[in-house]
Amino acid sequence: MRFSDIPGHERVKERLREMADSDRLPHALLLEGPSGTGKFALARAYAQYIHCTSRGADGEPCGKCDSCVQHQKFNHIDTIWIYPVVKLDKMNTPPVSDDFAAEWQEYLSGRVFMDFGEWSAVFDSKKNVKPVNYVTESVSLLHKLSYTAHASKYKIVVWWLPELMNEETANKLLKVIEEPFGDTLFVMVSDNPAMILPTIYSRVQRLEVARYSDSEVAQWLMDTHGLDNANAAAIAHVARGNMTRAEAALGRSKRGAELLDRFTQLMRLAWQRKVAELGEWSAKLSELSRDRQREFYEYAAGLLRENFMLNFNMPDLTFLNREELEFSSRFCKYITVDNVESLVEDFEQARADLGYNANAKIVNFDTAMRVILHLLPKS
């Protein structure tokens, strides 16, 4: 991982380079900030830069020395990866990170921005169990740290989401974090530093990684995915500085034609009060996975808000792609102060109900009937 692979954060990158170039490295560094900001990629680039034996004048790891090649293959002998895992049914004892090394390497391959939800999905046989760091992780790590570095000056522990270690795990690691081996560096990455146990948090040097600006997100979407300015700006507006959320929104935009088509069908049938056809519409929606159904209601609520803004002649505050704008320019007059709040609440309630495993056919048909009532002219 090179620093240039990560958009933005020039101040943070420069600080990391300065620490490595001067060899004034904190024994325990925490990169903290909101998710979707590339913190873990920065940690990876930092570790590779420290281990690189031929750093470039451009402030990048060379990418060619043995250490860089090993980093790129996720098998550098002096790099220790720690990440949350799940105890599967077939396991007799709680696992450690190494038990899922193959899955971890596959997950990291080609990835800049981390997504805890996607990583959790790797453990699909335990969908309701949250990945954590078990106490066995601390035992394994202490054993590894008892050996000296093999190929480099430093062993580097790159730890994703230390807030997910329990108190017993933290207590076992407290001494080595407070008084580490001379050749050991901890580089931790946290989305929620307030959840880290105070005994650990007080012993690390912290470096904040701020959220991206909307313009940075939009530029990244244009540079890496070839989006035009209008679509990139629309997705950036929804992402609110979170690149992971932007990637999810980009995936939705690729299915946008389908989502928009479902929305236009619902509104047309509701306006015409075609109850039987709305029953068919509801049944077809119910055939999708619950995640896809909830995605539709999230999309629909957002599109209603945009139409409300458009109806009030504020196009500069709307974020619609060309197809959505073409539809909304005709439809927005029906979304007014009298019905927008109720419609959005109903869509958000439907999304929540589906998340609680309510009967999908009932939820969808009931929501469709409510749309009829909200679109009726006020007497």
Side-chain angles (χ1 to χ4, degrees):
M1 178 67 68
R2 293 166 58 86
F3 289 114
S4 56
D5 295 329
I6 310 157
H9 302 313
E10 296 307 320
R11 183 190 64 82
V12 175
K13 293 175 184 177
E14 189 57 35
R15 181 73 185 111
L16 294 173
R17 291 190 188 99
E18 287 175 356
M19 290 189 292
D21 289 338
S22 65
D23 200 30
R24 298 178 63 180
L25 299 163
H27 69 269
L29 176 67
L30 175 68
L31 298 175
E32 61 180 17
S35 62
T37 52
K39 301 184 300 298
F40 194 75
L42 287 167
R44 288 174 55 190
Y46 177 56
Q48 183 173 336
Y49 190 68
I50 291 172
H51 282 154
C52 178
T53 58
S54 184
R55 298 171 190 166
D58 58 354
E60 296 283 2
C62 71
K64 298 178 181 179
C65 67
D66 289 343
S67 290
C68 282
V69 171
Q70 290 166 14
H71 266 278
Q72 291 157 9
K73 294 180 179 179
F74 309 109
N75 62 2
H76 190 280
I77 193 169
D78 292 322
T79 303
I80 301 169
W81 304 95
I82 305 293
Y83 39 90
V85 295
V86 165
K87 183 178 183 298
L88 303 180
D89 291 335
K90 63 184 179 181
M91 295 177 169
N92 295 322
T93 58
V96 298
S97 298
D98 285 350
D99 292 327
F100 295 94
E103 291 85 351
W104 178 247
Q105 291 177 19
E106 181 179 356
Y107 176 74
L108 287 184
S109 181
R111 179 179 294 273
V112 176
F113 302 102
M114 305 293 280
D115 185 334
F116 181 66
E118 286 188 17
W119 172 242
S120 299
V122 170
F123 311 97
D124 58 359
S125 63
K126 286 281 188 179
K127 291 181 180 178
N128 296 321
V129 178
K130 183 179 180 180
V132 296
N133 293 125
Y134 300 92
V135 69
T136 47
E137 191 79 71
S138 60
V139 175
S140 173
L141 179 58
L142 289 171
H143 177 72
K144 292 176 182 177
L145 296 182
S146 66
Y147 294 95
T148 59
H150 295 274
S152 308
K153 182 177 180 180
Y154 297 106
K155 299 189 298 289
I156 303 178
V157 180
V158 184
W159 193 318
W160 186 43
L161 306 181
E163 58 264 38
L164 297 181
M165 68 171 130
N166 59 29
E167 187 170 0
E168 186 179 6
T169 306
N171 287 336
K172 283 188 175 293
L173 292 175
L174 183 58
K175 183 174 178 59
V176 75
I177 292 176
E178 186 176 18
E179 300 175 9
F181 298 102
D183 64 348
T184 299
L185 304 174
F186 283 86
V187 184
M188 300 180 175
V189 176
S190 174
D191 292 344
N192 195 347
M195 290 178 59
I196 299 176
L197 289 174
T199 50
I200 297 292
Y201 191 66
S202 63
R203 288 165 171 79
V204 300
Q205 180 171 319
R206 300 180 287 275
L207 188 57
E208 182 181 0
V209 182
R211 59 153 281 180
Y212 285 108
S213 67
D214 286 1
S215 60
E216 287 178 312
V217 176
Q219 189 62 54
W220 177 77
L221 290 169
M222 289 188 286
D223 292 344
T224 60
H225 295 281
L227 268 66
D228 59 40
N229 185 69
N231 284 332
I235 291 177
H237 173 65
V238 173
R240 295 191 292 275
N242 184 323
M243 289 291 195
T244 302
R245 191 178 293 144
E247 290 183 329
L250 179 62
R252 287 197 299 272
S253 74
K254 292 177 179 178
R255 297 192 298 275
E258 175 190 337
L259 292 168
L260 179 60
D261 183 58
R262 289 186 187 279
F263 182 86
T264 56
Q265 286 180 39
L266 172 60
M267 294 301 161
R268 175 176 55 81
L269 294 173
W271 178 257
Q272 296 172 349
R273 305 180 201 177
K274 293 186 175 181
V275 176
E277 286 87 342
L278 282 170
E280 295 175 3
W281 177 93
S282 302
K284 287 182 179 179
L285 181 61
S286 302
E287 293 173 359
L288 303 177
S289 69
R290 285 186 177 268
D291 285 343
R292 293 288 295 278
Q293 292 177 66
R294 297 179 76 233
E295 178 187 52
F296 167 75
Y297 285 117
E298 180 182 15
Y299 172 84
L303 190 55
L304 283 171
R305 294 188 185 97
E306 301 294 342
N307 272 265
F308 179 70
M309 301 298 289
L310 198 61
N311 189 23
F312 273 73
N313 197 29
M314 291 185 282
D316 292 341
L317 298 180
T318 60
F319 295 85
L320 300 168
N321 62 35
R322 283 187 292 270
E323 293 77 14
E324 291 167 340
L325 184 58
E326 181 181 351
F327 162 76
S328 298
S329 63
R330 302 186 303 272
F331 173 72
C332 67
K333 62 184 178 182
Y334 301 107
I335 305 303
T336 68
V337 69
D338 293 323
N339 63 14
V340 62
E341 186 175 353
S342 297
L343 280 165
V344 169
E345 285 180 356
D346 283 343
F347 285 153
E348 291 180 341
Q349 186 62 53
R351 184 175 183 274
D353 289 343
L354 289 166
Y356 289 117
N357 290 324
N359 186 292
K361 289 184 178 179
I362 294 175
V363 170
N364 294 332
F365 186 67
D366 179 66
T367 303
M369 293 300 99
R370 290 177 179 273
V371 174
I372 292 179
L373 296 176
H374 296 317
L375 291 182
L376 287 174
K378 299 295 181 181
S379 58

